[in-house]
Amino acid sequence: MSLFKPLETKLGTNANTNAGSPAEHVKCLIIGSGPAGYTAAIYAARANLKPLLCKGIQPGAQLPTTTEVENFPGYPEGITGPKMMEDLESQAARFGTDIRWGIATSVDFSGTTHKVVIDEDKVYEADTVIIATGATARYLGLQSEENYKGSGVSACATCDGFFYRNKDVAVVGGGDTACEEALYLAGMCRKVYLIVRKPFLRASKIMQKRVLNAPNIEVLFERTTKELRGNHVVEEALLIKRMGHSDESEESIKIDGFFLAIGHTPNSDIFKPFIETDETGYIKTVPGTPLTNVPGVFACGDVQDKVYRQAVTAAGSGCSAAIEAERYLAQR
Ligand code: NDP
Protein backbone atom coordinates (compact mmCIF):
# COMPACT_ATOMS: atom_id res chain seq x y z
CA MET A 1 0.00 0.00 0.00
CA SER A 2 1.28 3.43 -0.86
CA LEU A 3 2.21 5.78 1.96
CA PHE A 4 0.87 8.60 -0.12
CA LYS A 5 -2.61 9.59 -1.03
CA PRO A 6 -2.84 10.96 -4.57
CA LEU A 7 -2.26 14.70 -4.77
CA GLU A 8 -4.43 16.79 -6.98
CA THR A 9 -1.77 17.58 -9.55
CA LYS A 10 -1.89 20.94 -11.16
CA LEU A 11 0.76 23.29 -12.38
CA GLY A 12 1.93 25.96 -9.99
CA THR A 13 1.33 29.55 -11.00
CA ASN A 14 4.95 29.90 -12.03
CA ALA A 15 4.92 26.71 -14.08
CA ASN A 16 5.65 27.07 -17.74
CA THR A 17 6.71 23.71 -19.01
CA ASN A 18 6.30 24.73 -22.64
CA ALA A 19 8.90 27.42 -22.25
CA GLY A 20 11.67 28.32 -24.66
CA SER A 21 13.85 25.92 -26.62
CA PRO A 22 12.88 22.37 -27.67
CA ALA A 23 12.81 19.73 -24.94
CA GLU A 24 15.85 17.53 -24.39
CA HIS A 25 15.30 14.00 -23.17
CA VAL A 26 17.40 12.48 -20.38
CA LYS A 27 17.19 9.25 -18.41
CA CYS A 28 18.06 10.83 -15.11
CA LEU A 29 17.91 14.49 -14.19
CA ILE A 30 19.46 15.51 -10.87
CA ILE A 31 18.48 18.90 -9.49
CA GLY A 32 20.96 20.19 -6.94
CA SER A 33 24.69 20.19 -6.43
CA GLY A 34 25.31 19.47 -2.78
CA PRO A 35 26.69 16.20 -1.39
CA ALA A 36 23.34 14.48 -2.08
CA GLY A 37 23.16 15.59 -5.72
CA TYR A 38 26.78 14.78 -6.54
CA THR A 39 26.65 11.40 -4.82
CA ALA A 40 23.48 10.57 -6.74
CA ALA A 41 25.32 11.62 -9.90
CA ILE A 42 28.34 9.40 -9.18
CA TYR A 43 26.11 6.36 -8.65
CA ALA A 44 23.76 7.14 -11.54
CA ALA A 45 26.65 7.70 -13.94
CA ARG A 46 28.29 4.44 -12.91
CA ALA A 47 24.96 2.69 -13.48
CA ASN A 48 25.01 4.09 -17.03
CA LEU A 49 22.00 6.37 -16.51
CA LYS A 50 23.91 9.21 -18.20
CA PRO A 51 22.73 11.71 -15.59
CA LEU A 52 22.42 15.38 -16.18
CA LEU A 53 23.00 17.45 -13.04
CA CYS A 54 21.82 21.05 -12.75
CA LYS A 55 23.82 23.15 -10.37
CA GLY A 56 22.23 26.33 -9.13
CA ILE A 57 23.37 29.66 -7.77
CA GLN A 58 25.08 28.15 -4.77
CA PRO A 59 26.80 25.01 -5.99
CA GLY A 60 27.73 22.83 -3.09
CA ALA A 61 24.62 23.83 -1.16
CA GLN A 62 25.52 24.86 2.39
CA LEU A 63 29.02 23.38 2.37
CA PRO A 64 30.81 26.34 0.80
CA THR A 65 29.60 28.48 3.71
CA THR A 66 31.45 26.13 6.06
CA THR A 67 35.13 26.83 6.31
CA GLU A 68 36.43 23.42 7.33
CA VAL A 69 34.69 20.04 7.15
CA GLU A 70 36.20 17.74 9.73
CA ASN A 71 33.45 15.20 10.20
CA PHE A 72 33.16 13.70 6.73
CA PRO A 73 34.71 10.23 6.93
CA GLY A 74 37.86 9.76 4.89
CA TYR A 75 39.47 13.16 5.50
CA PRO A 76 41.63 12.70 8.60
CA GLU A 77 43.05 16.22 8.24
CA GLY A 78 39.69 17.78 7.34
CA ILE A 79 38.87 19.52 4.10
CA THR A 80 37.42 22.90 3.24
CA GLY A 81 33.78 22.95 2.13
CA PRO A 82 34.55 24.40 -1.33
CA LYS A 83 37.37 21.88 -1.95
CA MET A 84 35.12 19.00 -0.98
CA MET A 85 32.51 20.18 -3.45
CA GLU A 86 35.15 20.54 -6.18
CA ASP A 87 36.24 16.96 -5.54
CA LEU A 88 32.68 15.65 -5.58
CA GLU A 89 32.03 17.47 -8.85
CA SER A 90 35.20 16.06 -10.47
CA GLN A 91 34.26 12.59 -9.32
CA ALA A 92 30.76 12.92 -10.79
CA ALA A 93 32.20 14.30 -14.05
CA ARG A 94 34.79 11.53 -14.25
CA PHE A 95 32.05 8.94 -14.70
CA GLY A 96 30.28 10.99 -17.34
CA THR A 97 27.78 13.19 -15.49
CA ASP A 98 26.73 16.07 -17.68
CA ILE A 99 26.97 19.02 -15.28
CA ARG A 100 25.26 22.24 -16.31
CA TRP A 101 24.45 25.53 -14.66
CA GLY A 102 20.79 26.28 -14.18
CA ILE A 103 17.99 26.65 -11.68
CA ALA A 104 14.87 24.55 -11.93
CA THR A 105 12.04 27.07 -12.16
CA SER A 106 9.04 24.80 -12.69
CA VAL A 107 8.11 21.15 -13.11
CA ASP A 108 5.31 19.03 -14.47
CA PHE A 109 5.25 15.57 -12.92
CA SER A 110 1.75 14.70 -14.14
CA GLY A 111 2.85 12.30 -16.90
CA THR A 112 5.12 9.27 -17.06
CA THR A 113 7.89 11.45 -18.45
CA HIS A 114 8.71 14.24 -16.07
CA LYS A 115 9.19 17.76 -17.31
CA VAL A 116 11.59 20.18 -15.66
CA VAL A 117 12.13 23.73 -16.84
CA ILE A 118 15.51 25.26 -16.15
CA ASP A 119 15.91 29.04 -15.94
CA GLU A 120 12.35 29.47 -17.23
CA ASP A 121 13.60 28.49 -20.64
CA LYS A 122 15.16 25.11 -21.24
CA VAL A 123 12.79 22.14 -20.95
CA TYR A 124 14.08 18.70 -20.01
CA GLU A 125 12.00 15.55 -20.25
CA ALA A 126 13.34 13.01 -17.80
CA ASP A 127 12.49 9.38 -17.14
CA THR A 128 13.63 9.88 -13.57
CA VAL A 129 14.21 12.99 -11.50
CA ILE A 130 16.31 13.16 -8.35
CA ILE A 131 15.48 16.18 -6.21
CA ALA A 132 18.50 17.25 -4.17
CA THR A 133 17.74 20.94 -3.75
CA GLY A 134 18.62 21.09 -0.06
CA ALA A 135 17.41 23.48 2.59
CA THR A 136 18.46 26.99 3.34
CA ALA A 137 19.31 27.97 6.91
CA ARG A 138 17.36 30.98 8.07
CA TYR A 139 19.30 34.01 9.19
CA LEU A 140 18.09 36.99 11.18
CA GLY A 141 18.73 39.36 8.30
CA LEU A 142 21.17 41.67 10.08
CA GLN A 143 23.87 43.36 8.04
CA SER A 144 26.44 42.56 10.73
CA GLU A 145 25.47 38.88 10.59
CA GLU A 146 26.24 38.93 6.87
CA ASN A 147 29.58 40.67 7.49
CA TYR A 148 30.80 37.96 9.90
CA LYS A 149 29.65 34.85 8.00
CA GLY A 150 32.55 32.44 8.26
CA SER A 151 34.22 34.75 10.83
CA GLY A 152 32.18 33.86 13.86
CA VAL A 153 28.71 33.41 12.38
CA SER A 154 27.58 29.91 11.52
CA ALA A 155 24.33 28.02 11.02
CA CYS A 156 25.75 24.62 11.90
CA ALA A 157 27.17 23.80 15.32
CA THR A 158 28.03 20.25 14.31
CA CYS A 159 30.10 21.61 11.43
CA ASP A 160 31.81 24.55 13.12
CA GLY A 161 31.50 24.07 16.88
CA PHE A 162 34.91 22.48 17.17
CA PHE A 163 36.57 25.80 16.28
CA TYR A 164 35.11 27.31 19.45
CA ARG A 165 36.51 24.86 21.98
CA ASN A 166 36.80 26.49 25.40
CA LYS A 167 35.34 29.71 24.06
CA ASP A 168 32.06 31.53 24.69
CA VAL A 169 29.34 31.29 22.08
CA ALA A 170 25.69 32.15 21.57
CA VAL A 171 22.95 30.17 19.86
CA VAL A 172 19.80 31.92 18.64
CA GLY A 173 16.47 30.10 18.65
CA GLY A 174 14.14 28.32 20.99
CA GLY A 175 13.23 25.16 19.08
CA ASP A 176 14.64 21.63 19.12
CA THR A 177 17.44 22.54 16.75
CA ALA A 178 18.59 25.43 18.95
CA CYS A 179 18.51 23.24 22.05
CA GLU A 180 20.35 20.46 20.28
CA GLU A 181 23.00 22.87 19.01
CA ALA A 182 23.35 24.51 22.43
CA LEU A 183 23.83 21.13 24.11
CA TYR A 184 26.34 20.05 21.49
CA LEU A 185 28.31 23.27 21.95
CA ALA A 186 28.05 23.03 25.74
CA GLY A 187 30.11 19.85 25.49
CA MET A 188 33.11 21.76 24.15
CA CYS A 189 32.65 25.46 24.84
CA ARG A 190 33.23 27.30 28.09
CA LYS A 191 29.86 29.02 28.04
CA VAL A 192 26.84 28.93 25.78
CA TYR A 193 24.19 31.63 25.74
CA LEU A 194 20.85 30.60 24.28
CA ILE A 195 19.12 33.70 22.93
CA VAL A 196 15.35 33.17 22.86
CA ARG A 197 12.96 35.86 21.68
CA LYS A 198 9.97 34.61 23.68
CA PRO A 199 9.70 34.05 27.46
CA PHE A 200 9.65 30.28 26.84
CA LEU A 201 11.27 27.59 24.73
CA ARG A 202 9.35 25.98 21.91
CA ALA A 203 11.50 22.82 22.01
CA SER A 204 10.26 19.46 23.26
CA LYS A 205 10.08 19.10 27.06
CA ILE A 206 13.01 16.74 27.25
CA MET A 207 15.25 19.10 25.32
CA GLN A 208 14.14 22.04 27.44
CA LYS A 209 15.00 20.11 30.58
CA ARG A 210 18.44 19.20 29.31
CA VAL A 211 19.20 22.78 28.32
CA LEU A 212 17.94 24.28 31.54
CA ASN A 213 19.96 21.76 33.57
CA ALA A 214 23.22 22.23 31.68
CA PRO A 215 25.62 24.10 33.97
CA ASN A 216 27.30 26.10 31.22
CA ILE A 217 24.19 27.09 29.24
CA GLU A 218 22.55 30.37 30.15
CA VAL A 219 19.16 30.91 28.57
CA LEU A 220 18.48 34.55 27.81
CA PHE A 221 14.72 34.77 27.40
CA GLU A 222 13.00 37.69 25.71
CA ARG A 223 16.14 38.82 23.91
CA THR A 224 16.42 39.99 20.33
CA THR A 225 19.77 40.34 18.63
CA LYS A 226 20.30 43.87 17.39
CA GLU A 227 23.86 43.73 16.11
CA LEU A 228 27.11 41.80 16.12
CA ARG A 229 30.35 43.64 16.72
CA GLY A 230 34.04 42.85 16.59
CA ASN A 231 37.31 43.57 14.91
CA HIS A 232 37.18 41.28 11.81
CA VAL A 233 35.64 38.45 13.88
CA VAL A 234 32.64 38.34 16.19
CA GLU A 235 33.49 39.59 19.67
CA GLU A 236 30.19 40.86 20.99
CA ALA A 237 26.43 40.66 20.47
CA LEU A 238 24.21 43.59 21.25
CA LEU A 239 20.83 42.40 22.50
CA ILE A 240 17.51 44.09 23.17
CA LYS A 241 15.76 42.81 26.26
CA ARG A 242 11.93 42.75 26.20
CA MET A 243 11.76 44.51 22.87
CA GLY A 244 8.63 46.58 22.45
CA HIS A 245 7.80 46.63 26.17
CA SER A 246 7.91 49.72 28.37
CA ASP A 247 10.94 48.35 30.21
CA GLU A 248 12.88 47.55 27.00
CA SER A 249 16.63 47.77 27.51
CA GLU A 250 19.92 46.96 25.77
CA GLU A 251 22.73 44.71 26.91
CA SER A 252 25.75 43.11 25.34
CA ILE A 253 27.39 39.72 25.70
CA LYS A 254 31.00 38.88 24.89
CA ILE A 255 31.14 35.93 22.52
CA ASP A 256 33.46 34.34 19.99
CA GLY A 257 30.84 32.53 17.95
CA PHE A 258 27.23 33.20 17.00
CA PHE A 259 25.16 30.24 15.83
CA LEU A 260 21.83 30.56 14.08
CA ALA A 261 19.28 27.86 14.83
CA ILE A 262 16.04 29.53 13.85
CA GLY A 263 15.00 26.91 11.36
CA HIS A 264 15.67 25.90 7.79
CA THR A 265 13.57 26.38 4.71
CA PRO A 266 13.54 23.34 2.45
CA ASN A 267 13.88 24.33 -1.20
CA SER A 268 10.77 22.50 -2.31
CA ASP A 269 8.34 25.19 -3.49
CA ILE A 270 8.36 24.42 -7.20
CA PHE A 271 7.63 20.74 -6.56
CA LYS A 272 4.66 21.28 -4.28
CA PRO A 273 1.95 21.06 -6.94
CA PHE A 274 3.00 17.42 -7.47
CA ILE A 275 5.13 16.24 -4.57
CA GLU A 276 3.79 15.76 -1.07
CA THR A 277 5.53 17.76 1.61
CA ASP A 278 4.97 18.04 5.33
CA GLU A 279 3.56 21.14 6.98
CA THR A 280 7.01 22.76 7.01
CA GLY A 281 7.74 22.03 3.35
CA TYR A 282 10.06 19.02 3.71
CA ILE A 283 9.45 16.47 0.95
CA LYS A 284 7.79 13.35 2.29
CA THR A 285 9.53 10.12 1.40
CA VAL A 286 8.67 6.55 2.28
CA PRO A 287 10.66 6.14 5.53
CA GLY A 288 14.15 4.86 4.94
CA THR A 289 13.90 5.36 1.16
CA PRO A 290 14.10 8.26 -1.31
CA LEU A 291 10.68 7.38 -2.84
CA THR A 292 8.25 10.28 -3.17
CA ASN A 293 4.56 10.03 -4.00
CA VAL A 294 5.37 10.32 -7.74
CA PRO A 295 6.86 7.20 -9.35
CA GLY A 296 10.22 8.01 -10.91
CA VAL A 297 10.79 11.10 -8.76
CA PHE A 298 13.15 10.66 -5.82
CA ALA A 299 14.25 13.04 -3.08
CA CYS A 300 17.46 13.02 -1.13
CA GLY A 301 19.49 15.25 1.16
CA ASP A 302 18.24 18.12 3.27
CA VAL A 303 15.11 18.82 1.22
CA GLN A 304 13.66 15.67 2.81
CA ASP A 305 15.63 15.50 6.07
CA LYS A 306 14.95 17.85 8.93
CA VAL A 307 16.59 15.76 11.59
CA TYR A 308 20.17 14.88 10.63
CA ARG A 309 21.11 17.44 7.95
CA GLN A 310 24.73 16.34 7.62
CA ALA A 311 26.86 16.12 4.49
CA VAL A 312 27.45 12.44 5.10
CA THR A 313 23.76 11.60 5.60
CA ALA A 314 22.90 13.66 2.51
CA ALA A 315 25.51 11.76 0.51
CA GLY A 316 24.10 8.44 1.73
CA SER A 317 20.60 9.38 0.70
CA GLY A 318 21.90 10.53 -2.71
CA CYS A 319 23.33 7.07 -3.21
CA SER A 320 19.96 5.49 -2.34
CA ALA A 321 18.16 7.83 -4.76
CA ALA A 322 20.41 6.81 -7.66
CA ILE A 323 20.00 3.11 -6.85
CA GLU A 324 16.21 3.50 -6.76
CA ALA A 325 16.25 5.45 -10.03
CA GLU A 326 18.21 2.65 -11.65
CA ARG A 327 15.80 0.01 -10.29
CA TYR A 328 12.80 2.02 -11.45
CA LEU A 329 14.18 2.23 -14.99
CA ALA A 330 15.11 -1.45 -15.01
CA GLN A 331 11.54 -2.38 -14.01
CA ARG A 332 10.09 -0.22 -16.74
P1 NDP B 1 11.43 25.57 14.86
O1 NDP B 1 10.62 26.26 13.83
O2 NDP B 1 10.80 24.52 15.70
O3 NDP B 1 12.01 26.66 15.88
C1 NDP B 1 12.57 27.83 15.42
C2 NDP B 1 12.95 28.65 16.62
O4 NDP B 1 13.61 29.81 16.14
C3 NDP B 1 11.74 29.12 17.43
O5 NDP B 1 12.05 29.15 18.78
C4 NDP B 1 11.51 30.53 16.91
O6 NDP B 1 10.99 31.40 17.86
C5 NDP B 1 12.93 30.96 16.62
N1 NDP B 1 12.97 32.00 15.62
C6 NDP B 1 12.46 31.97 14.37
N2 NDP B 1 12.71 33.11 13.74
C7 NDP B 1 13.40 33.88 14.62
C8 NDP B 1 13.94 35.18 14.56
N3 NDP B 1 13.85 35.93 13.46
N4 NDP B 1 14.58 35.66 15.64
C9 NDP B 1 14.70 34.91 16.76
N5 NDP B 1 14.22 33.67 16.89
C10 NDP B 1 13.57 33.17 15.82
O7 NDP B 1 12.72 25.07 14.07
P2 NDP B 1 13.74 23.91 14.44
O8 NDP B 1 14.78 23.94 13.41
O9 NDP B 1 14.15 24.01 15.84
O10 NDP B 1 12.88 22.58 14.27
C11 NDP B 1 12.21 22.30 13.04
C12 NDP B 1 11.46 20.97 13.21
O11 NDP B 1 12.39 19.90 13.28
C13 NDP B 1 10.64 20.92 14.50
O12 NDP B 1 9.47 20.18 14.24
C14 NDP B 1 11.53 20.17 15.44
O13 NDP B 1 10.82 19.51 16.46
C15 NDP B 1 12.21 19.19 14.49
N6 NDP B 1 13.51 18.77 15.00
C16 NDP B 1 13.62 17.55 15.56
C17 NDP B 1 14.80 17.13 16.07
C18 NDP B 1 14.88 15.78 16.65
O14 NDP B 1 13.86 15.08 16.67
N7 NDP B 1 16.03 15.36 17.12
C19 NDP B 1 16.01 17.96 16.05
C20 NDP B 1 15.80 19.24 15.46
C21 NDP B 1 14.59 19.62 14.96
P3 NDP B 1 9.45 31.35 18.30
O15 NDP B 1 9.30 30.16 19.19
O16 NDP B 1 9.31 32.65 18.97
O17 NDP B 1 8.66 31.25 17.03
Side-chain angles (χ1 to χ4, degrees):
M1 198 184 71
S2 166
L3 170 82
F4 302 103
K5 57 180 185 312
L7 269 185
E8 199 182 308
T9 52
K10 55 181 170 38
L11 291 178
T13 47
N14 65 341
N16 178 11
T17 46
N18 296 317
S21 35
E24 190 176 330
H25 184 269
V26 290
K27 272 194 203 173
C28 178
L29 178 67
I30 299 167
I31 311 171
S33 51
Y38 280 130
T39 306
I42 293 164
Y43 276 77
R46 287 171 57 83
N48 207 23
L49 303 191
K50 301 185 172 43
L52 188 149
L53 180 146
C54 292
K55 59 176 183 178
I57 35 173
Q58 189 172 312
Q62 296 176 69
L63 271 187
T65 62
T66 299
T67 40
E68 193 82 12
V69 181
E70 293 185 329
N71 54 8
F72 200 95
Y75 295 98
E77 305 304 325
I79 181 167
T80 66
K83 175 73 173 102
M84 181 186 225
M85 295 324 304
E86 251 178 68
D87 287 352
L88 282 169
E89 180 172 338
S90 315
Q91 197 173 351
R94 180 182 151 212
F95 297 112
T97 306
D98 183 353
I99 299 168
R100 302 187 194 175
W101 288 98
I103 295 172
T105 44
S106 60
V107 299
D108 180 354
F109 292 159
S110 59
T112 42
T113 301
H114 307 301
K115 290 185 187 164
V116 177
V117 181
I118 301 296
D119 294 333
E120 292 175 359
D121 173 50
K122 177 82 189 156
V123 182
Y124 291 98
E125 290 181 350
D127 297 327
T128 59
V129 175
I130 295 179
I131 301 171
T133 44
T136 307
R138 288 191 208 126
Y139 285 81
L140 297 172
L142 304 172
Q143 183 54 51
S144 53
E145 179 188 54
E146 196 59 39
N147 298 345
Y148 294 112
K149 264 189 198 167
S151 305
V153 171
S154 165
C156 179
T158 323
C159 317
D160 297 329
F162 196 65
F163 302 110
Y164 299 93
R165 286 187 311 277
N166 303 320
K167 295 189 172 174
D168 297 345
V169 298
V171 176
V172 190
D176 280 319
T177 302
C179 289
E180 215 170 67
E181 306 264 271
L183 286 163
Y184 178 80
L185 290 166
M188 63 187 79
C189 298
R190 190 170 50 192
K191 167 127 194 175
V192 179
Y193 295 100
L194 185 59
I195 303 170
V196 183
R197 66 180 173 183
K198 288 198 174 130
F200 55 85
L201 291 166
R202 179 204 285 226
S204 52
K205 289 281 174 259
I206 183 151
M207 293 302 275
Q208 292 191 27
K209 198 170 160 196
R210 282 184 196 152
V211 161
L212 295 169
N213 287 339
N216 59 342
I217 298 180
E218 184 180 346
V219 185
L220 301 174
F221 287 110
E222 296 187 89
R223 304 305 206 282
T224 304
T225 311
K226 184 178 177 188
E227 195 183 18
L228 300 173
R229 293 173 177 170
N231 192 9
H232 303 298
V233 293
V234 170
E235 292 172 9
E236 182 183 4
L238 189 62
L239 309 178
I240 303 175
K241 189 174 174 184
R242 286 178 57 75
M243 193 165 84
H245 291 81
S246 54
D247 57 348
E248 174 182 307
S249 59
E250 284 193 2
E251 66 189 6
S252 91
I253 50 172
K254 299 278 178 213
I255 49 167
D256 303 289
F258 184 79
F259 289 84
L260 279 306
I262 59 171
H264 286 74
T265 307
N267 301 318
S268 62
D269 280 356
I270 61 160
F271 308 109
K272 283 180 183 170
F274 302 94
I275 298 289
E276 265 193 44
T277 58
D278 71 9
E279 63 291 349
T280 48
Y282 284 89
I283 291 180
K284 282 190 187 175
T285 51
V286 176
T289 81
L291 306 182
T292 70
N293 59 304
V294 176
V297 179
F298 308 92
C300 54
D302 288 9
V303 74
Q304 54 83 60
D305 171 18
K306 64 175 160 194
V307 178
Y308 301 109
R309 294 194 291 241
Q310 297 301 302
V312 68
T313 50
S317 69
C319 158
S320 310
I323 291 174
E324 289 296 344
E326 201 262 329
R327 284 183 185 162
Y328 171 83
L329 289 172
Q331 278 164 14
R332 283 216 312 179

